[in-house]
Amino acid sequence: NDQEWVDWSIPALKPRTGDVLPVSEAIHEINDIFQRIGFTRVRYPEVDWDWYAFEGLNMPKNHPARDEWETFFVNAPTNEVKGKVVLTPHTSNGQVREMERLNSQPPIRMINIARCYRRQQDTTHTQMFHQFEGLVVDTDITIQHLKGTLDFFAQQFYGPGTKSRIRPFHFQFTEPSFEVDFSCHV
C-alpha cells in the first residue's frame, strides 16, 4: 500500500489562536511606563454626565466643544444637576472624577486611557479613538516636571534618544495649552 498509515486517535495540534490587539498592547505598555514613575491608572465612564465632561472643567454652556456637531449626546433623561448624558469627547472627565474621589487632596498622579467619541470624521479622524492623559496635582510642580515626564515616556515608548518638545499652542478647548512633539522614532 502506497498510503502512509495515520493514527486518528492521536490528539491534534492546537492551532494558534490570535494575538493581542495593537491598541491593547499599547495601552498595557503606556500603563506600565507611567506606573514606574508613580502614576496610578484610573478608569472612568465613557458614557458620562455633561457636568463631568464639560461643566466641571469650566467649559460654559456656550463653549464650542458642547456643540451638537462636536459631541454625541445620548437620548436619556437629563439630570437636574449633572445635565445631559454624553459619550465622552475626551478623557478629562477622569480628572474631575479623580479629584472628586480624592477630595482634591494632593498628591494626585493619575493616568487615564480610554475611548473617546467625537462627531468629526475625515481621512485622519474617526468618531471613536483612544486617548490618554495624565494629571499631577502636588506642591512645587513645574512645567519642567511635565517636560521630564514626557522625555521619560518618549524614551521608554519610542526608544532611547527620543526627545520631546513642548511649545505653547492655542487649542480652542483648553487654555493654557501646549503642543507636544516627539522626535522621529522610525
Side-chain angles (χ1 to χ4, degrees), residues 20-43 91 109-115 129-135 149-150 152-159 182 185:
V20 176
L21 291 171
V23 171
S24 298
E25 199 171 294
I27 288 170
H28 177 74
E29 189 175 348
I30 291 165
N31 182 51
D32 182 58
I33 291 167
F34 279 91
Q35 273 189 333
R36 285 185 265 153
I37 55 175
F39 283 74
T40 300
R41 168 107 186 262
V42 299
R43 296 179 185 170
T91 52
R109 294 176 80 90
M110 62 151 260
I111 184 167
N112 187 11
I113 307 171
R115 286 183 289 266
F129 59 94
H130 286 81
Q131 183 179 62
F132 82 92
E133 68 177 83
L135 173 68
T149 301
L150 290 170
F152 179 79
F153 169 75
Q155 291 178 23
Q156 297 300 304
F157 193 75
Y158 295 117
F182 296 109
H185 60 276

Side-chain angles (χ1 to χ4, degrees), residues 24-179:
S24 298
E25 199 171 294
I27 288 170
H28 177 74
E29 189 175 348
I30 291 165
N31 182 51
D32 182 58
I33 291 167
F34 279 91
Q35 273 189 333
R36 285 185 265 153
I37 55 175
F39 283 74
T40 300
R41 168 107 186 262
V42 299
R43 296 179 185 170
Y44 288 108
E46 292 175 24
V47 179
D48 210 347
W49 297 107
D50 177 276
W51 194 88
Y52 289 105
F54 299 118
E55 222 39 58
L57 295 164
N58 295 322
M59 292 185 190
K61 297 256 185 244
N62 63 349
H63 196 281
R66 297 170 80 152
D67 188 297
E68 287 188 6
W69 292 103
E70 296 288 333
T71 301
F72 286 106
F73 288 91
V74 177
N75 187 10
T78 300
N79 180 290
E80 286 185 30
V81 176
K82 296 183 179 173
K84 296 180 179 181
V85 177
V86 301
L87 297 182
T88 53
H90 47 72
T91 52
S92 301
N93 66 315
Q95 291 185 20
V96 177
R97 285 183 171 276
E98 187 70 359
M99 287 188 289
E100 187 177 79
R101 184 180 77 82
L102 297 173
N103 295 319
S104 298
Q105 293 299 308
I108 299 172
R109 294 176 80 90
M110 62 151 260
I111 184 167
N112 187 11
I113 307 171
R115 286 183 289 266
C116 300
Y117 305 87
R118 294 188 190 157
R119 294 182 67 115
Q120 307 139 345
Q121 184 171 329
D122 59 31
T123 56
T124 62
H125 296 87
T126 61
Q127 293 180 340
M128 188 285 293
F129 59 94
H130 286 81
Q131 183 179 62
F132 82 92
E133 68 177 83
L135 173 68
V136 175
V137 178
D138 207 347
T139 57
D140 302 318
I141 295 293
T142 68
I143 296 300
Q144 200 56 41
H145 291 96
L146 171 63
K147 177 72 168 108
T149 301
L150 290 170
D151 280 339
F152 179 79
F153 169 75
Q155 291 178 23
Q156 297 300 304
F157 193 75
Y158 295 117
T162 306
K163 303 272 189 240
S164 72
R165 173 175 72 172
I166 59 174
R167 53 195 162 90
F169 196 83
H170 173 73
F171 288 102
Q172 188 173 358
F173 307 124
T174 60
E175 188 60 36
S177 301
F178 291 102
E179 182 86 2

